[in-house]
């Protein structure tokens, strides 16, 4: 009797590690993804550090719009560095085990940077609203002190919203499978492996999505409704297009961030019938594509950033050739 109770209790002991996967059912082909993923990781780091560098060295870019862009680049770097090392270890070295506490730490940072980025996109929407509705008072309405306070609020909200997640996951026993669906740890992915009631986790996740993500999306939609009303009241067609053109990069960043995020969430909740490869692709796009594309979009669509990057690259090229000649 005692031995059966002991075996039962041992079966409820949580796993001390999780197993990450690359290409579901085709682990032998993981190496095919490794090099493209490494190139993507390198380009992401270079692109975001370049954005931060040109904003830092050019005083003409010390404006609210570019300060918020710097925050976005920092958030993208945080998300990239939270996921890419683990993904590369899975695809390149087939190192798939991750300790339980390390997995919890990773999911904390991934979800925190997600909510920080969402908050930054809201702040950037308000920035565009003020710039278009009150162009003459733009700098006075958004002094550096206000921008710092906005940044602190966005960071604090991201930390506070995600802070309960590690404790909600750590209280759950994982006594069945310990194989996750992705090459990194997500709350909703790990939660499905628990052999206990996860209603508290589900309820908290739903509350966060409705109260935070829902509020962010509504705030962005209201901001752009007000922007559209202001732009339509401008008599000059050329000025109207010029005002809208300043929003193109931000709208692109919104779509790049929210579409994969919502798609991955919907796939986790309602896409059980989908192929595991579809889940894998959506999850990888969700964490890898936005940090890569954001600096590309802002470099292409923002003239000041584009010109400054070109001048920096031309200067480095000129210095390189001068050293070769000498």
């Amino acid at each position: 009797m005692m031995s059966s109770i002991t075996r039962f209790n041992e079966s409820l002991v949580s796993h001390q590690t999780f197993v990450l996967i690359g290409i579901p059912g085709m682990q032998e082909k993981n190496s095919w993804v490794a090099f493209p993923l490494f190139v993507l990781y390198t380009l992401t780091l270079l692109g975001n550090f370049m954005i931060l560098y040109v904003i830092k060295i050019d005083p003409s870019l010390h404006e609210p719009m570019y300060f918020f862009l710097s925050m976005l680049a920092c958030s993208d770097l945080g998300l990239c560095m939270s996921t890419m090392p683990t993904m590369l270890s899975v695809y390149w070295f087939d190192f798939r085990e991750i300790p339980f506490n390390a997995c919890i730490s990773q999911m904390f940072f991934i979800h925190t940077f997600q909510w920080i980025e969402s908050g930054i996109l809201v702040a950037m929407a308000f920035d565009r609203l003020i710039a278009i509705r009150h162009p003459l008072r733009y700098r006075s309405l958004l002094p550096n002190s206000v921008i710092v306070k906005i940044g602190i609020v966005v960071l604090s909200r991201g930390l506070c919203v995600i802070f309960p997640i590690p404790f909600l996951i750590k209280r759950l026993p994982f006594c069945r499978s310990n194989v996750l669906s992705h090459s990194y740890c997500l709350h909703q992915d790990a939660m499905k492996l628990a052999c206990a009631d996860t209603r508290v986790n589900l309820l908290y996740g739903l509350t966060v999505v409705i109260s935070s993500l829902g509020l962010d999306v509504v705030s962005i939609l209201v901001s752009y409704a007000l922007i559209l009303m202001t732009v339509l009241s401008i008599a000059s067609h050329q000025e109207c297009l010029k005002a809208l053109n300043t929003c193109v990069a931000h709208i692109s960043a919104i779509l790049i961030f929210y579409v994969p995020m919502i798609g991955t969430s919907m796939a986790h909740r309602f896409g059980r019938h989908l192929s595991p490869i579809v889940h894998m692709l959506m999850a990888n796009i969700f964490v890898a594509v936005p940090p890569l594309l954001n600096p590309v979009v802002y470099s292409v669509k923002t003239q000041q950033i584009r010109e400054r990057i070109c001048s920096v690259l031309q200067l480095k090229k000129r210095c390189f050739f001068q050293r070769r000649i000498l």
Side-chain angles (χ1 to χ4, degrees):
M1 179 68 177
M2 288 298 295
S3 62
S4 62
I5 293 174
T6 302
R7 287 195 300 270
F8 177 75
N9 288 334
E10 288 175 351
S11 71
L12 292 179
V13 174
S14 290
H15 296 292
Q16 295 304 305
T17 61
F18 282 117
V19 177
L20 306 171
I21 63 169
I23 304 175
M26 295 184 287
Q27 273 75 20
E28 70 280 0
K29 297 182 180 179
N30 282 346
S31 57
W32 294 8
V33 181
F35 183 72
L37 198 62
F38 173 75
V39 172
L40 186 148
Y41 182 42
T42 305
L43 292 176
T44 299
L45 294 177
L46 289 175
N48 285 285
F49 276 122
M50 178 63 78
I51 292 288
L52 292 173
Y53 177 70
V54 298
I55 292 174
K56 181 180 183 296
I57 65 172
D58 192 346
S60 67
L61 298 179
H62 294 176
E63 295 289 331
M65 172 183 172
Y66 302 108
F67 289 143
F68 288 126
L69 179 56
S70 298
M71 295 181 196
L72 185 67
C74 288
S75 175
D76 283 337
L77 285 170
L79 182 60
C80 178
M81 289 187 283
S82 297
T83 56
M84 282 295 178
T86 307
M87 294 170 71
L88 286 173
S89 69
V90 171
Y91 286 106
W92 211 319
F93 305 107
D94 199 33
F95 186 76
R96 297 191 291 157
E97 285 196 354
I98 181 171
F100 181 70
N101 288 331
C103 185
I104 290 177
S105 299
Q106 186 183 50
M107 72 173 67
F108 173 78
F109 284 110
I110 290 173
H111 291 301
T112 297
F113 283 118
Q114 285 173 354
W115 292 115
I116 289 174
E117 184 152 339
S118 182
I120 293 169
L121 291 173
V122 174
M124 295 175 84
F126 283 121
D127 167 74
R128 291 298 82 210
L129 175 62
I130 293 173
I132 291 173
R133 295 200 77 173
H134 306 287
L136 300 179
R137 299 171 57 205
Y138 173 57
R139 201 63 183 87
S140 62
L141 291 173
L142 285 175
N144 291 347
S145 59
V146 172
I147 295 170
V148 170
K149 290 175 183 176
I150 292 173
I152 292 173
V153 169
V154 169
L155 176 62
S156 301
R157 189 196 72 156
L159 290 171
C160 291
V161 164
I162 303 303
F163 183 74
I165 293 293
F167 301 100
L168 291 174
I169 281 290
K170 204 156 188 177
R171 72 184 181 86
L172 297 173
F174 296 90
C175 53
R176 301 189 189 115
S177 172
N178 65 338
V179 180
L180 297 172
S181 303
H182 309 308
S183 53
Y184 55 88
C185 297
L186 285 178
H187 172 244
Q188 57 267 38
D189 194 18
M191 181 180 63
K192 292 189 297 185
L193 301 181
C195 48
D197 189 359
T198 59
R199 281 180 294 184
V200 174
N201 296 63
L202 287 168
L203 183 61
Y204 184 76
L206 184 61
T207 302
V208 167
V209 168
I210 294 174
S211 62
S212 297
L213 182 61
L215 182 62
D216 288 353
V217 172
V218 169
S219 299
I220 291 171
L221 290 175
V222 170
S223 298
Y224 272 97
L226 294 173
I227 288 172
L228 192 59
M229 289 171 58
T230 304
V231 167
L232 292 176
S233 65
I234 299 175
S236 170
H237 180 68
Q238 186 175 359
E239 290 296 320
C240 178
L241 291 177
K242 184 179 178 181
L244 286 175
N245 192 50
T246 64
C247 301
V248 171
H250 181 242
I251 293 172
S252 301
I254 290 170
L255 295 175
I256 289 168
F257 176 73
Y258 284 113
V259 170
M261 184 181 188
I262 294 172
T264 303
S265 298
M266 292 298 102
H268 269 287
R269 297 186 188 280
F270 307 112
R272 297 181 186 275
H273 62 285
L274 295 174
S275 166
I277 294 179
V278 174
H279 284 275
M280 181 272 294
L281 288 173
M282 292 182 68
N284 288 350
I285 289 171
F286 165 54
V287 297
V289 171
L292 173 68
L293 290 187
N294 281 335
V296 174
V297 167
Y298 274 94
S299 300
V300 171
K301 297 305 297 182
T302 308
Q303 183 179 353
Q304 295 92 325
I305 294 286
R306 183 172 66 250
E307 290 176 351
R308 191 56 184 155
I309 289 176
C310 289
S311 66
V312 168
L313 294 177
Q314 288 172 0
L315 179 62
K316 289 184 180 297
K317 184 177 179 181
R318 194 179 304 121
C319 292
F320 173 76
F321 283 117
Q322 285 174 353
R323 285 197 297 269
R324 290 290 297 270
I325 293 172
L326 294 174

